[in-house]
């Protein structure tokens, strides 16, 4: 199974488990994660959620082959179900990043409450490099957390940056040795699970409520552009270049 959904007492863990493809996320994987998050929302016995990768890799982001074969169409596409579910999650979400987090691998972190990363983890948002545009409301959330210029640099150039920089930008709470990050994230989730669920629920609601409408509007607008750009020649060139292990040539397009 490419996504493992596991229970340890009252903590639910959602783990990427497709290491041979660097945990690239297919439509089926988005669906499994969306379903797990929605189910957890209605299950009082789940008191905190951990999202983690596999050894040495968090996620290479959207599966590019899957995107070419079955581009997400309409708001019920699994990727959009997942993004809605993670952005609306009422339970505490703790992320453990022990490796590369690419594209949605990084943008999903902007919806988590706590993010712990290995000091060797890397992050990147190569949307423009792929002929695409930001998703998961990252065009709004990243500049809010890091400031406009820092967000613009990461979203427009798309170059990978290290865990120290991610922490300085403000979306990583703490850096740990790679071998310790999963256990630490679990420990934090267990602490949260022992606290009054109602207090955590209301705290999250109060912190997130004001921005929720704006976030939804941004995510919808991003999705309209993203879906169109996915079918455009720039994205085709970028995706083909990735699989052919060559540099894309964007100068052929206006
Ligand atoms: N979609 C589909 N397949 C992917 C993938 C993706 N996003 N990322 C990696 N893979 C596949 C590779 O094609 C390769 O498959 P193969 O063994 O059948 O050839 C395998 O996973 C290993 O990837 P590789 O690139 O050799 O690993 P690496 O350790 O050198 O680099 C990454 C890891 C994550 C830095 C690199 O794979 C990468 O940049 N991936 C693309 C990320 C991306 O653009 N994501 C989309 C964001 S919107």
């Amino acid at each position: 199974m490419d996504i493992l959904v596991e229970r340890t007492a009252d903590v639910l863990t959602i783990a990427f488990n497709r290491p041979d493809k660097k945990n690239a996320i297919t439509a089926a994987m988005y669906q499994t994660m969306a379903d797990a998050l929605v189910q957890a929302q209605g299950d009082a016995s789940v008191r905190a959620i951990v999202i983690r990768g596999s050894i040495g890799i968090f996620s290479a982001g959207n599966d590019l082959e899957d995107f070419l074969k079955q581009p997400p169409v309409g708001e019920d596409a699994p990727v959009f179900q997942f993004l809605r579910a993670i952005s609306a999650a009422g339970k505490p979400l703790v992320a453990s990043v022990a490796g590369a987090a690419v594209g949605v691998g990084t943008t999903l972190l902007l919806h988590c409450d706590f993010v712990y990363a290995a000091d060797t983890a890397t992050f990147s948002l190569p949307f423009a490099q792929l002929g695409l545009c930001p998703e998961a409301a990252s065009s709004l959330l990243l500049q809010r957390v890091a400031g406009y210029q820092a967000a613009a640099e990461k979203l427009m150039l798309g170059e990978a940056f290290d865990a120290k920089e991610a922490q300085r930008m403000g979306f990583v709470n703490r850096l740990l040795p790679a071998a310790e990050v999963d256990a630490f994230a679990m420990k934090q989730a267990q602490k949260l699970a022992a606290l009054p669920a109602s207090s955590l629920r209301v705290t999250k609601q109060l912190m997130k409520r004001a921005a929720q409408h704006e976030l939804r509007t941004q995510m919808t607008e991003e999705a309209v552009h993203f879906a169109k750009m996915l079918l455009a020649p720039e994205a085709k060139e970028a995706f083909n270049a990735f699989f052919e292990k060559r540099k894309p040539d964007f100068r052929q397009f206006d």
Side-chain angles (χ1 to χ4, degrees):
M1 278 193 295
D2 294 340
I3 296 287
L4 301 175
V5 180
E6 293 168 347
R7 275 295 284 274
T8 309
D10 31 26
V11 176
L12 185 83
T13 299
I14 298 176
F16 295 111
N17 184 39
R18 198 184 174 217
D20 55 321
K21 293 288 178 187
K22 303 288 166 184
N23 293 336
I25 311 171
T26 60
M29 291 162 74
Y30 281 121
Q31 190 67 60
T32 304
M33 293 194 291
D35 292 348
L37 287 169
V38 169
Q39 243 168 44
Q41 190 62 29
D43 180 350
S45 71
V46 175
R47 298 175 70 87
I49 300 167
V50 170
I51 300 183
R52 66 168 173 79
S54 49
I55 294 169
I57 177 83
F58 185 65
S59 171
N62 290 291
D63 184 296
L64 297 176
E65 202 180 332
D66 204 52
F67 251 179
L68 279 174
K69 283 192 189 144
Q70 41 175 345
V73 181
E75 56 184 39
D76 277 338
V79 57
F80 300 129
Q81 286 186 48
F82 167 70
L83 294 178
R84 278 199 301 276
I86 195 166
S87 69
K91 313 230 171 179
L93 285 180
V94 182
S96 170
V97 185
V102 185
V104 72
T106 289
T107 60
L108 73 81
L109 303 173
L110 301 170
H111 298 276
C112 294
D113 302 302
F114 303 173
V115 178
Y116 299 110
D119 43 22
T120 50
T122 59
F123 302 82
S124 56
L125 299 156
F127 300 114
Q129 286 171 330
L130 292 167
L132 300 171
C133 68
E135 33 75 327
S138 56
S139 55
L140 177 76
L141 297 176
L142 193 62
Q143 61 170 307
R144 208 161 262 176
V145 71
Y148 179 82
Q149 280 76 11
E153 186 182 70
K154 302 312 174 204
L155 288 170
M156 291 170 74
L157 279 180
E159 289 166 352
F161 50 102
D162 65 19
K164 269 201 189 118
E165 191 168 358
Q167 190 183 30
R168 263 201 315 274
M169 286 174 74
F171 68 90
V172 168
N173 291 81
R174 188 189 288 221
L175 305 184
L176 296 124
E180 291 171 26
V181 64
D182 281 349
F184 186 81
M186 178 55 84
K187 201 175 86 188
Q188 297 296 85
Q190 283 163 345
K191 274 196 230 165
L192 288 160
L195 287 166
S198 57
S199 293
L200 298 179
R201 197 161 50 237
V202 174
T203 303
K204 252 190 106 153
Q205 263 168 23
L206 290 169
M207 287 199 295
K208 295 211 159 194
R209 193 187 48 122
Q212 203 64 20
H213 176 71
E214 213 180 351
L215 189 150
R216 276 296 159 89
T217 309
Q218 193 81 4
M219 221 147 72
T220 306
E221 187 150 338
E222 287 173 349
V224 170
H225 288 289
F226 198 95
K228 272 196 211 140
M229 295 175 102
L230 207 46
L231 303 175
E234 287 87 341
K236 292 236 156 59
E237 165 65 5
F239 290 21
N240 287 333
F242 174 73
F243 289 115
E244 290 161 17
K245 302 191 193 297
R246 61 171 172 84
K247 273 196 168 30
D249 171 19
F250 294 126
R251 285 210 165 82
Q252 59 184 304
F253 309 114
D254 295 336

